[in-house]
Amino acid sequence: MTQLQVHMFSALSDNYCFLVRDPETGKTGVVDTPEVAAIENALNETGWQLDYILNTHHHFDHAGGNLEIKEKTGCTVVGPKGEAARIPGIDLELQDGDTFELGHQVARIFDVPGHTSGHIAYWFEDSATAFVGDTLFALGCGRLFEGTPAQMWTSLQKLIALPDETTVYCAHEYTQANAKFALTVEPQNQDLVQRAAQIDDMRAKNIPTVPTTIGLEKATNPFLRPMSSDLRDTLGMTGAPDVDVFAETRLRKDNF
Ligand code: ZN
Ligand code: FE
């Protein structure tokens, strides 16, 4: 089995966008459409021809370029069934449990509501690679615009059930700000302390902190660690259910 090819590039002020390609068939997709010019540049640079847009959710910095890209390339627009009415140009609607075939590369689809009500994630199991949009970030998670903390916690649990070595492509470079917050709620986590220093170093050199991995996030991301006694001590929530600790962590980040 050949590996999925991924070409990551920046778009807008802090978005990441991804060309994905099956090397056997040449089938190519772009995960979200934050910025048409950046996508065209990436296609020119790689020489790849676009077959699909793979949307994670409806926000403008994810689906705003759909119609123009579709018109220019004739590609098929694939996206979340739960947001179909808000995904410009959608042709193929996906939901939890579905699979999507990019040539010979198969993505399993997860519904991950919380940031938006129909947000989906794409997991290319054989390549150990996941595209999670604005659901999970390096050291963070998406804001709850259209969902409850309980929904988001359920969504994040689907992602942390993936193998630790899974490479996770999130859609924004938010990591340094996320690290500052994470240190305030889990100050004794030595893995986090170390990672935060690495992140400062990387950002000073303008190196992307994306992708990350499930294993690294499980060890350092406070939104995935409601069971942490350090986090619980900070929040004063020693005996609370995980979902309540998650909700309080998210609330504190909103006000950070
Ligand atoms: Zn978003
Ligand atoms: Fe976004």
Side-chain angles (χ1 to χ4, degrees):
M1 190 75 198
T2 54
Q3 280 277 122
L4 180 75
Q5 292 176 290
V6 180
H7 175 76
M8 179 174 112
F9 54 99
S10 296
L12 304 176
S13 59
D14 55 30
N15 278 74
Y16 288 121
C17 189
F18 316 93
L19 294 183
V20 290
R21 181 174 182 268
D22 170 34
E24 289 175 3
T25 61
K27 290 290 178 193
T28 299
V30 64
V31 180
D32 289 332
T33 58
E35 187 185 349
V36 172
I39 294 167
E40 288 179 316
N41 276 343
L43 289 168
N44 284 335
E45 221 174 276
T46 54
W48 298 350
Q49 287 212 332
L50 196 68
D51 300 290
Y52 300 100
I53 291 167
L54 305 177
N55 283 132
T56 60
H57 66 295
H58 70 86
H59 281 160
F60 189 74
D61 64 315
H62 296 261
N66 276 20
L67 291 182
E68 201 176 335
I69 294 286
K70 183 177 181 177
E71 196 192 339
K72 284 180 163 156
T73 64
C75 71
T76 299
V77 179
V78 179
K81 185 180 179 77
E83 295 178 2
R86 297 187 285 177
I87 302 285
I90 193 165
D91 299 299
L92 177 62
E93 302 173 13
L94 298 175
Q95 62 183 326
D96 206 69
D98 284 347
T99 54
F100 171 76
E101 292 176 22
L102 179 75
H104 298 156
Q105 305 285 328
V106 180
R108 290 221 238 157
I109 307 305
F110 296 109
D111 283 341
V112 285
H115 177 68
T116 61
S117 61
H119 199 303
I120 60 172
Y122 297 79
W123 178 42
F124 290 86
E125 180 176 6
D126 291 337
S127 294
T129 298
F131 295 89
V132 299
D134 288 356
T135 296
L136 175 62
F137 293 121
L139 293 179
C141 77
R143 276 180 184 266
L144 304 182
F145 289 118
E146 299 175 11
T148 63
Q151 277 179 321
M152 187 58 139
W153 177 233
T154 301
S155 297
L156 291 172
Q157 284 176 289
K158 291 182 186 179
L159 299 179
I160 57 183
L162 300 179
D164 282 355
E165 63 273 19
T166 307
T167 300
V168 177
Y169 288 96
C170 34
H172 290 274
E173 180 61 63
Y174 289 159
T175 316
Q176 199 168 25
N178 287 344
K180 284 197 181 74
F181 170 75
L183 286 169
T184 66
V185 289
E186 216 187 4
Q188 309 298 330
N189 181 340
Q190 290 312 306
D191 292 334
L192 171 61
V193 171
Q194 237 177 44
R195 186 179 180 195
Q198 271 170 9
I199 286 161
D200 286 342
D201 194 50
M202 289 169 84
R203 293 314 296 151
K205 296 172 185 152
N206 214 21
I207 299 170
T209 62
V210 173
T212 178
T213 66
I214 292 293
L216 184 57
E217 293 311 312
K218 276 160 67 179
T220 55
N221 184 331
F223 297 96
L224 305 183
R225 298 173 54 76
M227 56 297 285
S228 151
S229 53
D230 187 19
L231 174 61
R232 284 167 172 259
D233 284 350
T234 307
L235 303 180
M237 298 181 75
T238 311
D242 287 350
V243 63
D244 293 356
V245 176
F246 168 76
E248 178 63 20
T249 308
R250 185 58 260 179
L251 194 65
R252 290 208 182 193
K253 177 66 164 61
D254 290 343
N255 299 314
F256 182 64

mmCIF file of all heavy atoms in Angstrom, residues 57-76:
data_model
loop_
_atom_site.group_PDB
_atom_site.id
_atom_site.type_symbol
_atom_site.label_atom_id
_atom_site.label_comp_id
_atom_site.label_asym_id
_atom_site.label_seq_id
_atom_site.Cartn_x
_atom_site.Cartn_y
_atom_site.Cartn_z
ATOM 1 N N HIS A 57 -15.903 21.689 7.214
ATOM 2 C CA HIS A 57 -17.071 22.405 7.736
ATOM 3 C C HIS A 57 -17.308 23.661 6.917
ATOM 4 O O HIS A 57 -16.536 23.975 6.018
ATOM 5 C CB HIS A 57 -16.934 22.687 9.236
ATOM 6 C CG HIS A 57 -15.826 23.631 9.624
ATOM 7 N ND1 HIS A 57 -14.493 23.349 9.440
ATOM 8 C CD2 HIS A 57 -15.861 24.858 10.195
ATOM 9 C CE1 HIS A 57 -13.765 24.357 9.900
ATOM 10 N NE2 HIS A 57 -14.562 25.290 10.357
ATOM 11 N N HIS A 58 -18.383 24.369 7.239
ATOM 12 C CA HIS A 58 -18.878 25.404 6.330
ATOM 13 C C HIS A 58 -18.223 26.769 6.489
ATOM 14 O O HIS A 58 -18.475 27.660 5.668
ATOM 15 C CB HIS A 58 -20.399 25.564 6.514
ATOM 16 C CG HIS A 58 -20.784 26.198 7.824
ATOM 17 N ND1 HIS A 58 -20.845 27.567 7.987
ATOM 18 C CD2 HIS A 58 -21.096 25.658 9.018
ATOM 19 C CE1 HIS A 58 -21.188 27.833 9.242
ATOM 20 N NE2 HIS A 58 -21.347 26.685 9.889
ATOM 21 N N HIS A 59 -17.432 26.991 7.519
ATOM 22 C CA HIS A 59 -16.900 28.342 7.735
ATOM 23 C C HIS A 59 -16.200 28.882 6.489
ATOM 24 O O HIS A 59 -15.606 28.132 5.720
ATOM 25 C CB HIS A 59 -15.950 28.357 8.939
ATOM 26 C CG HIS A 59 -16.679 28.374 10.251
ATOM 27 N ND1 HIS A 59 -16.091 28.000 11.431
ATOM 28 C CD2 HIS A 59 -17.961 28.713 10.561
ATOM 29 C CE1 HIS A 59 -16.971 28.115 12.414
ATOM 30 N NE2 HIS A 59 -18.113 28.539 11.916
ATOM 31 N N PHE A 60 -16.243 30.219 6.367
ATOM 32 C CA PHE A 60 -15.752 30.867 5.155
ATOM 33 C C PHE A 60 -14.273 30.583 4.905
ATOM 34 O O PHE A 60 -13.838 30.458 3.757
ATOM 35 C CB PHE A 60 -15.993 32.382 5.229
ATOM 36 C CG PHE A 60 -15.711 33.084 3.936
ATOM 37 C CD1 PHE A 60 -16.596 32.975 2.859
ATOM 38 C CD2 PHE A 60 -14.548 33.823 3.771
ATOM 39 C CE1 PHE A 60 -16.331 33.607 1.653
ATOM 40 C CE2 PHE A 60 -14.277 34.458 2.557
ATOM 41 C CZ PHE A 60 -15.165 34.349 1.504
ATOM 42 N N ASP A 61 -13.495 30.464 5.987
ATOM 43 C CA ASP A 61 -12.060 30.189 5.806
ATOM 44 C C ASP A 61 -11.799 28.704 5.528
ATOM 45 O O ASP A 61 -10.656 28.238 5.548
ATOM 46 C CB ASP A 61 -11.238 30.678 7.012
ATOM 47 C CG ASP A 61 -11.570 29.949 8.294
ATOM 48 O OD1 ASP A 61 -12.769 29.763 8.573
ATOM 49 O OD2 ASP A 61 -10.635 29.559 9.016
ATOM 50 N N HIS A 62 -12.885 27.951 5.253
ATOM 51 C CA HIS A 62 -12.750 26.528 4.905
ATOM 52 C C HIS A 62 -13.480 26.167 3.613
ATOM 53 O O HIS A 62 -13.044 25.269 2.895
ATOM 54 C CB HIS A 62 -13.256 25.651 6.066
ATOM 55 C CG HIS A 62 -12.416 25.819 7.287
ATOM 56 N ND1 HIS A 62 -11.422 24.945 7.640
ATOM 57 C CD2 HIS A 62 -12.368 26.817 8.209
ATOM 58 C CE1 HIS A 62 -10.803 25.384 8.729
ATOM 59 N NE2 HIS A 62 -11.364 26.523 9.092
ATOM 60 N N ALA A 63 -14.586 26.862 3.338
ATOM 61 C CA ALA A 63 -15.366 26.555 2.134
ATOM 62 C C ALA A 63 -15.560 27.778 1.238
ATOM 63 O O ALA A 63 -16.220 27.692 0.201
ATOM 64 C CB ALA A 63 -16.732 25.969 2.527
ATOM 65 N N GLY A 64 -14.949 28.888 1.622
ATOM 66 C CA GLY A 64 -15.171 30.152 0.903
ATOM 67 C C GLY A 64 -14.674 30.139 -0.538
ATOM 68 O O GLY A 64 -15.185 30.875 -1.385
ATOM 69 N N GLY A 65 -13.678 29.292 -0.844
ATOM 70 C CA GLY A 65 -13.148 29.246 -2.210
ATOM 71 C C GLY A 65 -13.775 28.157 -3.063
ATOM 72 O O GLY A 65 -13.377 27.957 -4.225
ATOM 73 N N ASN A 66 -14.746 27.426 -2.511
ATOM 74 C CA ASN A 66 -15.310 26.266 -3.212
ATOM 75 C C ASN A 66 -15.747 26.565 -4.647
ATOM 76 O O ASN A 66 -15.339 25.874 -5.590
ATOM 77 C CB ASN A 66 -16.534 25.724 -2.453
ATOM 78 C CG ASN A 66 -16.167 24.768 -1.333
ATOM 79 O OD1 ASN A 66 -15.037 24.761 -0.864
ATOM 80 N ND2 ASN A 66 -17.138 23.984 -0.885
ATOM 81 N N LEU A 67 -16.605 27.578 -4.810
ATOM 82 C CA LEU A 67 -17.236 27.777 -6.123
ATOM 83 C C LEU A 67 -16.210 28.184 -7.172
ATOM 84 O O LEU A 67 -16.244 27.685 -8.301
ATOM 85 C CB LEU A 67 -18.364 28.815 -6.014
ATOM 86 C CG LEU A 67 -19.591 28.348 -5.215
ATOM 87 C CD1 LEU A 67 -20.667 29.432 -5.210
ATOM 88 C CD2 LEU A 67 -20.166 27.030 -5.761
ATOM 89 N N GLU A 68 -15.280 29.039 -6.773
ATOM 90 C CA GLU A 68 -14.280 29.486 -7.736
ATOM 91 C C GLU A 68 -13.341 28.337 -8.131
ATOM 92 O O GLU A 68 -13.010 28.157 -9.304
ATOM 93 C CB GLU A 68 -13.490 30.669 -7.147
ATOM 94 C CG GLU A 68 -12.805 31.499 -8.198
ATOM 95 C CD GLU A 68 -12.095 32.726 -7.618
ATOM 96 O OE1 GLU A 68 -12.503 33.206 -6.530
ATOM 97 O OE2 GLU A 68 -11.118 33.172 -8.239
ATOM 98 N N ILE A 69 -12.935 27.549 -7.166
ATOM 99 C CA ILE A 69 -12.058 26.407 -7.453
ATOM 100 C C ILE A 69 -12.803 25.368 -8.302
ATOM 101 O O ILE A 69 -12.252 24.798 -9.252
ATOM 102 C CB ILE A 69 -11.545 25.763 -6.144
ATOM 103 C CG1 ILE A 69 -10.617 26.735 -5.392
ATOM 104 C CG2 ILE A 69 -10.848 24.432 -6.411
ATOM 105 C CD1 ILE A 69 -9.251 26.909 -6.006
ATOM 106 N N LYS A 70 -14.064 25.148 -7.961
ATOM 107 C CA LYS A 70 -14.858 24.179 -8.726
ATOM 108 C C LYS A 70 -15.017 24.645 -10.170
ATOM 109 O O LYS A 70 -14.858 23.857 -11.113
ATOM 110 C CB LYS A 70 -16.235 24.002 -8.075
ATOM 111 C CG LYS A 70 -17.122 22.959 -8.746
ATOM 112 C CD LYS A 70 -18.449 22.780 -8.012
ATOM 113 C CE LYS A 70 -19.291 21.706 -8.695
ATOM 114 N NZ LYS A 70 -20.554 21.449 -7.977
ATOM 115 N N GLU A 71 -15.272 25.915 -10.341
ATOM 116 C CA GLU A 71 -15.457 26.461 -11.683
ATOM 117 C C GLU A 71 -14.159 26.363 -12.490
ATOM 118 O O GLU A 71 -14.166 26.025 -13.672
ATOM 119 C CB GLU A 71 -15.909 27.922 -11.585
ATOM 120 C CG GLU A 71 -16.496 28.443 -12.880
ATOM 121 C CD GLU A 71 -16.677 29.962 -12.851
ATOM 122 O OE1 GLU A 71 -16.734 30.533 -11.742
ATOM 123 O OE2 GLU A 71 -16.726 30.555 -13.929
ATOM 124 N N LYS A 72 -13.044 26.626 -11.848
ATOM 125 C CA LYS A 72 -11.762 26.644 -12.556
ATOM 126 C C LYS A 72 -11.237 25.248 -12.876
ATOM 127 O O LYS A 72 -10.488 25.071 -13.832
ATOM 128 C CB LYS A 72 -10.717 27.394 -11.731
ATOM 129 C CG LYS A 72 -10.910 28.907 -11.786
ATOM 130 C CD LYS A 72 -9.865 29.643 -10.973
ATOM 131 C CE LYS A 72 -9.840 31.116 -11.385
ATOM 132 N NZ LYS A 72 -9.309 31.987 -10.331
ATOM 133 N N THR A 73 -11.560 24.262 -12.032
ATOM 134 C CA THR A 73 -10.950 22.934 -12.195
ATOM 135 C C THR A 73 -11.957 21.862 -12.587
ATOM 136 O O THR A 73 -11.556 20.770 -12.997
ATOM 137 C CB THR A 73 -10.283 22.472 -10.875
ATOM 138 O OG1 THR A 73 -11.305 22.312 -9.873
ATOM 139 C CG2 THR A 73 -9.239 23.471 -10.400
ATOM 140 N N GLY A 74 -13.244 22.123 -12.409
ATOM 141 C CA GLY A 74 -14.245 21.088 -12.672
ATOM 142 C C GLY A 74 -14.256 19.987 -11.633
ATOM 143 O O GLY A 74 -14.772 18.895 -11.869
ATOM 144 N N CYS A 75 -13.696 20.267 -10.460
ATOM 145 C CA CYS A 75 -13.592 19.234 -9.419
ATOM 146 C C CYS A 75 -14.953 18.958 -8.777
ATOM 147 O O CYS A 75 -15.896 19.726 -8.926
ATOM 148 C CB CYS A 75 -12.575 19.641 -8.363
ATOM 149 S SG CYS A 75 -13.121 21.005 -7.325
ATOM 150 N N THR A 76 -14.994 17.844 -8.060
ATOM 151 C CA THR A 76 -16.180 17.438 -7.310
ATOM 152 C C THR A 76 -16.046 17.930 -5.873
ATOM 153 O O THR A 76 -14.991 17.767 -5.258
ATOM 154 C CB THR A 76 -16.282 15.896 -7.304
ATOM 155 O OG1 THR A 76 -16.409 15.461 -8.668
ATOM 156 C CG2 THR A 76 -17.479 15.400 -6.501
#
